[in-house]
Amino acid sequence: MEIMFPDYDNCIANLACSVMKHFGVTPPNTTLPLADGLLSERRYKNVVVMLLDGMGNNIIEANLEPGGFFRGHLAGTYSSVFPPTTVAATTAMDSGLFPVQSAWLGWTGYFPEVDKNVVYFLNRDFDTDEQIEGDSIAWTYVPYWSICDRIRDAGYGAHYRAPFTEPYPEDFGAFCREIKRLCAEDSEKFVYAYWDQPDTVMHRKGCFGERAKSTVRELEKAVGELADELSDTLLLITADHGHIDSPKAVVTHYPDIMECLVRMPSIEPRCLNLFVKDGMEEQLKAAFNEHFDGKFMLMSKAEVKERQLFGKGEPHPRFDGMLGDYIAAAVGDVSIYNMDSKNFVGAHAGLTEDEMIIPLIAVKKE
């Protein structure tokens, strides 16, 4: 598998910055040249970014016809962030920040303030699966200013729509109808629309079988029908990351690794955040590389910072405390889970081209 590091001059955070700039907001990072060109062609009443979770460039190439709606409107490809995963990449789209700046790093993050591995979106203790009572740990310690709030503050309309936000669309058809309704309103506006497929089906059933193919084709058909009903709209369809089929390993099956760790790994099964007991760094490196050399790239905390793996710019004040002594980034096909009970087929969050490269599909409706 080809190793690919993120391009923080041409990534999903830069797309958000392009949109901000278009609506008169000073963005926190540089803009995406590909998007700047599309946005500068004319002043559309509606700018819509539709993010289809997991629909990386490898997924559309494998599951869709070259002359179909998505591939036929492909404006170009660009980069996710590291790790290429939903929490990190959708936060980049929602904020214009790189993960180092937002400290939204992956499905789970280690929060020193509570000494727990916390599931960002669900406010759960990842190691015990217990709900954490009270306010969201993530929004308490690493809040950020969203793209929609920033655009509203600049005097324009801005709307966020997703399966888990009002009006809670029951299916993708209802989701598309809601986007159509918003675009019919008179005011100039931005719509950020997130949908959780095809990621969900690919985690469960794999990336290249009939279920994945039919899901991606259904999404393509519905978006094409939506586009036919829009006017004065720039519709940009993208993804947060790609997906691969991934065999499973379980970290607790490797006692020589486990005895070196202060706590269970966090972030993602293809991006392991490892806190190591004092004096056991060499043992950890030897044990990990014995089992996973060629499958994972083991980088020290200093190397992670030097490579700017999680992005450029001023790190979030809490980033350093959340980062372990080592990051194990997948460069092969294996995923390392904390527990036996996870039975995903598809996976992402590693340093491979298939996970990193995402499409920017542009539909211009006059």
Side-chain angles (χ1 to χ4, degrees):
M1 306 182 80
E2 185 171 346
I3 297 173
M4 178 168 284
F5 286 85
D7 179 354
Y8 287 114
D9 292 314
N10 291 280
C11 77
I12 192 167
N14 305 118
L15 171 60
C17 290
S18 290
V19 173
M20 290 183 201
K21 183 179 178 181
H22 178 76
F23 284 100
V25 175
T26 301
N29 287 301
T30 57
T31 59
L32 181 69
L34 178 60
D36 291 339
L38 294 165
L39 288 162
S40 66
E41 289 180 6
R42 58 160 288 187
R43 192 80 191 185
Y44 291 93
K45 183 183 74 168
N46 307 306
V47 174
V48 179
V49 172
M50 178 185 287
L51 193 153
L52 301 178
D53 197 324
M55 199 184 73
N57 196 58
N58 71 317
I59 298 303
I60 65 170
E61 286 189 347
N63 292 300
L64 295 177
E65 297 298 328
F69 183 79
F70 281 167
R71 295 180 69 180
H73 285 88
L74 183 67
T77 60
Y78 67 124
S79 174
S80 185
V81 294
F82 184 81
T85 192
T86 303
V87 169
T90 61
T91 300
M93 180 63 228
D94 197 30
S95 66
L97 300 173
F98 306 132
V100 70
Q101 298 169 312
S102 70
W104 287 65
L105 303 181
W107 185 246
T108 61
Y110 174 67
F111 284 80
E113 297 83 358
V114 295
D115 194 28
K116 296 179 188 297
N117 290 331
V118 177
V119 181
Y120 282 82
F121 286 165
L122 304 180
N123 205 39
R124 299 184 74 86
D125 183 325
F126 185 66
D127 299 328
T128 66
D129 201 36
E130 294 176 352
Q131 190 68 40
I132 299 171
E133 299 301 325
D135 294 337
S136 162
I137 297 297
W139 282 105
T140 297
Y141 294 109
V142 288
Y144 63 84
W145 194 5
S146 77
I147 186 172
C148 287
D149 284 344
R150 291 171 69 112
I151 290 172
R152 286 189 204 105
D153 287 352
Y156 295 94
H159 308 273
Y160 176 59
R161 292 294 184 268
F164 41 78
T165 62
E166 291 184 3
Y168 305 108
E170 70 273 14
D171 55 30
F172 192 65
F175 178 73
C176 289
R177 289 191 293 274
E178 175 63 11
I179 296 169
K180 177 186 173 183
R181 184 190 70 78
L182 290 170
C183 288
E185 295 178 354
D186 289 336
S187 60
E188 187 176 354
K189 72 189 73 68
F190 169 62
V191 179
Y192 173 31
Y194 165 87
W195 194 251
D196 60 354
Q197 293 287 12
D199 180 84
T200 300
V201 74
M202 292 191 296
H203 274 305
R204 295 172 181 169
K205 300 295 183 180
C207 303
F208 309 108
E210 282 306 311
R211 283 291 302 278
K213 190 179 298 292
S214 63
T215 299
V216 177
R217 289 183 174 183
E218 287 165 7
L219 293 170
E220 180 183 47
K221 181 175 183 292
V223 176
E225 292 171 351
L226 167 66
D228 285 343
E229 298 180 341
L230 298 178
S231 61
D232 202 2
T233 299
L234 177 62
L235 173 60
L236 301 175
I237 303 112
T238 192
D240 46 355
H241 54 77
H243 241 279
I244 64 169
D245 288 342
S246 176
K248 166 185 165 183
V250 181
V251 69
T252 54
H253 294 179
Y254 300 89
D256 52 347
I257 294 175
M258 288 298 299
E259 68 179 352
C260 300
L261 301 181
V262 175
R263 60 183 58 85
M264 295 298 287
S266 54
I267 301 186
E268 292 277 351
R270 291 181 57 75
C271 172
L272 279 68
N273 191 31
L274 304 174
F275 288 84
V276 183
K277 294 174 183 175
D278 288 343
M280 299 192 77
E281 292 85 358
E282 292 304 316
Q283 180 176 329
L284 181 278
K285 287 193 290 184
F288 195 92
N289 287 327
E290 178 183 352
H291 298 299
F292 296 108
D293 186 37
K295 298 293 186 182
F296 280 78
M297 181 185 294
L298 192 63
M299 289 171 272
S300 69
K301 187 172 187 172
E303 186 179 359
V304 166
K305 292 178 177 181
E306 183 180 355
R307 286 181 177 270
Q308 297 183 315
L309 188 63
F310 289 89
K312 303 187 295 184
E314 184 69 24
H316 190 283
R318 287 188 161 88
F319 174 75
D320 194 72
M322 299 171 76
L323 193 64
D325 301 292
Y326 290 88
I327 289 290
V331 294
D333 60 353
V334 173
S335 298
I336 305 175
Y337 293 87
N338 283 12
M339 57 197 77
D340 275 312
S341 58
K342 292 296 183 184
N343 292 308
F344 288 154
V345 180
H348 51 83
L351 280 174
T352 73
E353 181 178 7
D354 283 350
E355 295 161 275
M356 194 64 68
I357 297 299
I358 52 179
L360 188 64
I361 297 160
V363 184
K364 308 167 190 176
K365 303 298 293 187
E366 301 299 327

